[in-house]
Amino acid sequence: MGTLPVFRWRLAPDGYATRRQLRARGLRPGGQGVAAQLERPRRRRAPLVAYLYRVDLAKPVRPMTLARRAALDKANAARRTCPECRRDAGYVIPPSLGMCVPCAFPDTPSSFDDDTPRRG
C-alpha cells in the first residue's frame, strides 16, 4: 500500500478535486479511492485534512428518480415528526432532545395555535 501525496492548502495541482468540488461539477467519485490529500496547518492542533479525488476518473451524478425522491421525502418527513405529539415540527427534530421543542419544554409558551391536547 502506497502513501498518499500530500499538498499544502490551496496548492493542489489541476486534476484533483474534493467531493464538494466534484458535486459542483455534476460528478461523483464513482468508487475510486482517495488519490491525495490537502493539509492546512493550524497552531497547536492537528492540521485540517481534505481528501482529493481524480477528476478524470469521476463519474456523472446519478439522476434523481421518482422513487428516490419519494424515499427522500419520506425520510425527511420522519426526521421532522415528533415522536411525542406526532406533529410535523417544521424542522428536523434535534437528536439531543429527541422530540420537538414544545414537547421538550412544555412550560414555555407554545407556537401552536390550535387547541389539540398534548401528551406528556
Side-chain angles (χ1 to χ4, degrees), residues 17-116:
T18 62
R19 283 182 178 266
R20 285 189 179 189
Q21 291 169 338
L22 288 176
R23 181 60 91 166
R25 297 181 188 183
L27 300 171
R28 61 186 169 96
Q32 66 172 305
V34 175
Q37 70 182 31
L38 289 175
E39 286 190 354
R40 178 180 176 203
R42 299 189 297 176
R43 294 182 197 156
R44 293 182 232 133
R45 291 189 282 177
L48 290 175
V49 176
Y51 297 112
L52 300 173
Y53 301 89
R54 290 183 40 189
V55 176
D56 59 340
L57 297 178
K59 296 179 180 176
V61 174
R62 295 181 189 132
M64 182 64 69
T65 63
L66 291 176
R68 186 178 289 167
R69 170 71 64 198
L72 281 173
D73 290 342
K74 186 176 178 182
N76 286 328
R79 293 178 67 200
R80 289 189 316 265
T81 303
C82 175
E84 285 292 314
C85 62
R86 298 285 181 208
R87 295 183 190 192
D88 184 348
Y91 53 87
V92 175
I93 304 292
S96 59
L97 295 178
M99 61 186 77
C100 65
V101 175
C103 288
F105 305 105
D107 297 336
T108 59
S110 175
S111 63
F112 294 114
D113 295 330
D114 59 338
D115 296 330
T116 307

